Structures are given as C-alpha cells and as structure tokens.
Amino acid sequence: MMQYDETVQIDEKARAWADIKDAHKTKKVLVAQAIGIEPFQIADKKIECLKLSYHGIYGYLPKQLIDNYEFKGLTHFLGKYFEFVVENISFENEKQIFLADRIKALDIMARKFWKTASEGQTYPAFVRGIDQYNLYLLVEGVPTTLHRTEFSYSFVEDLREEVEIGDTVEVKILGLVKPNEKYFPNPSDPDSEELTAGEHGLLQVSARVLSEDPWNNINEFQVNGIYSGVISKIHLDHGLFIILEGGLSVRTNFPPASPNFRVGERVSVKIMSIEAKDRKIKAITIVPKRAIGKKSQNASSVRRGIAR
C-alpha cells in the first residue's frame, strides 16, 4: 500500500510540473494555495513572498505581485487560494521551484470576464480589503466595492466582524459597464451627464440577493405575538440583535434590570407593530421575572426597540 501511495504522489507531482511548465510557456492561469510566508531571493534582494503549493510543487508569489492593492500584512492570506501565472522556473537548494505573478493573472482573467459577463450572473469574489462599511472585491480580476447594505438582509454594523481579507464571497452582478465605454449614471434623469468608465470598467454586485429575503416571511408574524429568537449580536449602544424563525432580524433595546445576555442565547420577543412598507418592526424583549432577581420583581421587564 505504501509503495502504491508513493507512486500516486510521484505521478501527481509529475503532472503538476507538466502543468507549471506548460503555463510558463502559454501564460495559462493556475490556482495554488498559500501555505506560508518566506523571504525569497529575487535578483540582488530578498522579497517577502507567499509560499504557494500547486499539488505539492512549491513556488513563491512576491508581495508586490499579489495585487495592485496595498496590503498591510500577509498572514491573513495563509490557507487561501490564489490565481497566478508562472513567471519563471529556477532551482533553489537543488529543488526546482516556480516564481508566480498574480497581477498578470488577474489581467488575463479580467479580459476574459468582459467578453462574457452579463447582469444576473454569479461569481465568487475575492476580498482584497475591508472597512466598516465596504468590502473591496475582485470579481474575476475586476475590482468592485460592496456596501454593507448589499452584504446581508440583516443589519451589519461592521463588515470587519463578518469577513476577513482573503475570503471569498458569492455575488450576483446587478449592473456593469465595460472598460472605457460611455454610460449615464442616472438614465432616468434627462439632464444626467454622460460619463466614461475607466480601464477597469464598472461593476455593481450584491451578495444579499442570493439569499431569500426574510421579509418574505413577515406574514408568519402578528402584532402582539410573542416569538422565540436567538441573539446574534449584542451591541452596547444599539441593543440586542435577535434572529427569529425564517431569518428575520429584530433589534430591541436592553430590558431594564436585565440579566447578562449571551450571543446564541434564546430569548422571547413581543412584536408591537409591523411597518412592512418601511421594513420596520417595533419590538420588545421579554425577560422572565425570575431572571431579574427579587430586588427587581416590580420593575418593568421590557423596553421598546426598533428592528431594521
């Protein structure tokens, strides 16, 4: 069995080397996993690189060739997968290795993308940057931005708590303008000025439209009804974020004299009003008196809040 396994591994590596050598000649785009961070000698200096594994064959992707985006560090890329073209093949410590270039791979992918892309298509998007309000993505090599309102139907206060750099997010194309094409930013406005897209084109995407809108289930809830939900987030300023059956997210303030809540804890929520047109719910969290304590037995156990 051991001999068979070793033969299989040798065959896999031989095929992998054949792929790498062919890609070096044809500039075919390959995909490899980042397994480490190491300095690698290029010309007369050592460069910080991602160490890649392509089916057991190792190579190096220099930091400056990962993307045109400015990264603060590389550790969040470990374990993630990267497209690349083979820039060079050389020997290092008597082992044959390859030097990778992702920027060239992204350019090849982007040119192919614009030939076939259309509204309604879905793609995996690579997260190249994050702030509180936006994800900065690459869709087949094309840069775009996803606002937090298009990430999820639930309220997301800080995207940095939801996604990490190097993650992949599935998105749907809502609109696009090809590179250097003219477009009107507001077609319904007759006075709208005609603009020209840049060299990367324009891409509007959404992640949330790929999941079912929880508000489609709003008829399952009634005013004055009391429902069970699970706390998904606790915010000192905004209160409790609670997920009800069907994925509907409700936000309520902290009840007075309330016990210590925990994420994942199941609580009861009473719906006070539903404004379907504005997608708002007024709700209160009900805390059993036994959870409050004897000194607070006569205190009100709820406080009003607004769900979004």
Side-chain angles (χ1 to χ4, degrees):
M1 178 64 71
M2 179 63 70
Q3 185 176 0
Y4 173 77
D5 289 343
E6 289 177 351
T7 302
V8 170
Q9 291 176 357
I10 292 172
D11 289 343
E12 286 181 352
K13 286 190 175 183
R15 286 193 293 270
W17 262 122
D19 288 345
I20 290 170
K21 290 177 181 178
D22 178 65
H24 185 216
K25 295 178 182 179
T26 64
K27 296 305 177 185
K28 177 182 177 181
V29 177
L30 302 177
V31 178
Q33 186 179 30
I35 61 166
I37 303 170
E38 293 182 356
F40 181 69
Q41 188 81 26
I42 300 177
D44 59 345
K45 61 186 300 186
K46 286 193 173 183
I47 305 295
E48 184 180 26
C49 299
L50 286 176
K51 186 172 185 177
L52 304 180
S53 173
Y54 180 78
H55 301 289
I57 304 298
Y58 300 117
Y60 291 90
L61 175 58
K63 181 178 180 180
Q64 66 269 29
L65 296 181
I66 295 174
D67 195 346
N68 288 321
Y69 197 83
E70 184 177 351
F71 301 111
K72 294 182 179 179
L74 300 182
T75 54
H76 40 253
F77 287 144
L78 293 178
K80 307 298 172 61
Y81 288 83
F82 291 85
E83 310 88 346
F84 68 96
V85 295
V86 179
E87 188 67 17
N88 193 22
I89 296 175
S90 61
F91 285 89
E92 178 76 11
N93 297 326
E94 299 183 352
K95 292 183 179 180
Q96 205 170 14
I97 60 170
F98 63 89
L99 185 65
D101 187 329
R102 184 168 180 254
I103 292 178
K104 288 183 179 179
L106 295 175
D107 181 60
I108 293 170
M109 294 165 57
R111 283 188 271 114
K112 290 182 178 179
F113 170 82
W114 286 118
K115 292 179 180 179
T116 59
S118 61
E119 292 183 17
Q121 292 178 330
T122 60
Y123 288 91
F126 179 88
V127 180
R128 68 205 298 223
I130 316 172
D131 60 30
Q132 180 178 349
Y133 303 101
N134 297 287
L135 295 182
Y136 301 95
L137 307 174
L138 283 173
V139 178
E140 295 297 296
V142 178
T144 186
T145 302
L146 178 77
H147 191 264
R148 66 180 181 180
T149 55
E150 290 297 334
F151 178 75
S152 172
Y153 284 107
S154 300
F155 172 72
V156 176
E157 182 188 11
D158 192 338
L159 285 167
R160 292 169 295 189
E161 298 178 359
E162 308 291 334
V163 184
E164 293 183 354
I165 292 176
D167 284 351
T168 299
V169 177
E170 197 78 11
V171 298
K172 183 176 182 178
I173 297 177
L174 301 184
L176 72 168
V177 181
K178 293 184 177 181
N180 302 315
E181 282 194 353
K182 296 184 181 299
Y183 72 101
F184 290 95
N186 187 4
S188 60
D189 183 359
D191 298 323
S192 178
E193 181 183 358
E194 186 179 53
L195 302 177
T196 302
E199 62 177 332
H200 297 298
L202 293 173
L203 203 57
Q204 181 185 4
V205 299
S206 174
R208 74 169 189 165
V209 297
L210 294 176
S211 58
E212 182 182 359
D213 185 352
W215 275 85
N216 292 338
N217 302 316
I218 194 61
N219 291 334
E220 300 297 326
F221 300 91
Q222 299 180 14
V223 174
N224 293 323
I226 300 175
Y227 302 94
S228 177
V230 176
I231 298 175
S232 63
K233 184 180 293 186
I234 300 173
H235 194 282
L236 295 178
D237 296 323
H238 301 298
L240 304 177
F241 291 83
I242 301 166
I243 304 297
L244 304 180
E245 182 68 25
L248 189 69
S249 179
V250 176
R251 176 170 65 88
T252 71
N253 289 348
F254 290 105
S258 60
N260 293 324
F261 291 105
R262 300 183 304 276
V263 171
E265 181 180 354
R266 187 168 289 277
V267 294
S268 297
V269 173
K270 183 175 182 179
I271 294 178
M272 308 305 294
S273 68
I274 299 175
E275 302 173 30
K277 183 178 179 180
D278 296 326
R279 298 170 67 95
K280 291 183 179 180
I281 298 175
K282 290 183 179 180
I284 57 177
T285 302
I286 299 176
V287 178
K289 289 185 177 180
R290 66 177 182 275
I292 299 175
K294 293 182 180 181
K295 294 183 180 180
S296 303
Q297 290 275 335
N298 297 325
S300 172
S301 61
V302 297
R303 180 177 296 177
R304 296 184 183 278
I306 297 178
R308 301 184 186 276

